[in-house]
């Protein structure tokens, strides 16, 4: 990380030390990522992604029942449809947990993290990485009892940043963090 006055990461960390930002210190966990991915399901992109699985899990059993009645029993087609329905249900119920586990190695490699949120954006540093996300690149955030999750502004909402509440130095910082996020992003 550069330490010159023109570097955005340096500026945002300077703002934190001047009391103009909210700072978090935490070690990310799989549970943090699972919580953020669960919150992502409430975003427009998350709902779009889940729609086919929801349709499959609702309409699939009806179609399987109709095929069983028409054909007089289980056929390879009805067995395949039944497997698809089970997959849809499993994805809806456990998809966020499975995806979070896929991030386990990256989360462990991140080590202890420091995040700073201010009027410039969100800066996150950890073991061997640093990233600065300006507000223009972000679109939504979600708040849960344990986290603030920030999502990219693209239609797919691929990027997810988890800001665990346990990383706040003072519980009152949650109100300050929420106020900054509300000024720049849309809550879901």
């Amino acid at each position: 990380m550069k330490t010159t006055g023109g570097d955005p990461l340096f500026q945002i960390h300077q703002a934190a030390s001047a009391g103009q930002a909210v700072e978090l210190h935490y070690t990310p966990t799989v549970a943090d990522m699972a919580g953020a991915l669960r919150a992502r399901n409430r975003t427009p992109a998350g709902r779009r992604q889940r729609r086919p699985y929801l349709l499959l899990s609702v309409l699939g059993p009806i179609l399987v029942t109709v095929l069983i009645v028409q054909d007089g029993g289980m056929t390879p087609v009805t067995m395949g449809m039944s497997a698809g329905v089970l997959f849809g249900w499993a994805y809806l119920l456990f998809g966020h947990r499975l995806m979070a586990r896929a991030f386990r190695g990256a989360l462990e490699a991140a080590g202890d993290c420091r995040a700073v949120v201010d009027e410039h954006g969100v800066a996150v540093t950890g073991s061997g990485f640093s990233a600065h996300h300006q507000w223009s690149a972000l679109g939504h955030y979600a708040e849960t009892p344990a986290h603030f999750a920030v999502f990219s502004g693209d239609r797919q909402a691929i990027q997810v940043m988890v800001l665990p509440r346990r990383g706040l130095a003072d519980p009152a910082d949650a109100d300050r963090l929420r106020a900054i996020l509300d000024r720049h992003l849309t809550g879901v």
Side-chain angles (χ1 to χ4, degrees):
M1 180 170 69
K2 294 179 186 176
T3 58
T4 62
D7 181 52
L9 284 173
F10 178 78
Q11 290 173 351
I12 202 165
H13 287 296
Q14 286 296 92
S17 63
Q20 301 168 348
V22 176
E23 188 170 351
L24 298 95
H25 292 273
Y26 59 94
T27 302
T29 66
V30 171
D32 292 336
M33 185 57 71
L37 292 172
R38 190 171 35 256
R40 181 187 177 277
N41 289 339
R42 296 191 313 257
T43 68
R47 287 189 296 270
R48 270 192 304 279
Q49 181 184 17
R50 291 169 53 92
R51 192 174 298 141
Y53 298 100
L54 185 59
L55 286 172
L56 177 65
S57 66
V58 170
L59 298 177
I62 296 168
L63 182 58
V64 168
T65 303
V66 168
L67 289 173
I68 289 173
V69 170
Q70 281 183 339
D71 295 340
M74 291 293 280
T75 65
V77 172
T78 56
M79 288 190 291
M81 286 291 295
S82 298
V85 169
L86 291 175
F87 175 77
W89 285 341
Y91 177 79
L92 289 172
L93 294 174
F94 307 112
H96 62 279
R97 291 182 193 156
L98 296 173
M99 288 192 298
R101 285 186 188 143
F103 286 100
R104 182 183 311 259
L107 294 171
E108 289 172 356
D112 292 333
C113 293
R114 177 182 183 213
V116 179
V117 182
D118 77 352
E119 296 304 317
H120 298 286
V122 181
V124 182
T125 58
S127 299
F129 82 94
S130 64
H132 176 248
H133 306 279
Q134 296 179 344
W135 294 120
S136 60
L138 304 170
H140 298 83
Y141 84 94
E143 183 177 353
T144 71
H147 312 92
F148 287 89
V150 180
F151 309 105
S152 61
D154 65 1
R155 285 184 47 93
Q156 300 302 318
I158 294 169
Q159 183 179 18
V160 177
M161 284 185 289
V162 185
L163 303 172
R165 287 177 184 262
R166 71 177 182 281
L168 296 167
D170 182 359
D173 287 343
D175 293 332
R176 291 181 46 228
L177 177 57
R178 185 181 312 104
I180 295 171
L181 294 172
D182 282 340
R183 277 195 298 276
H184 299 284
L185 303 175
T186 304
V188 291

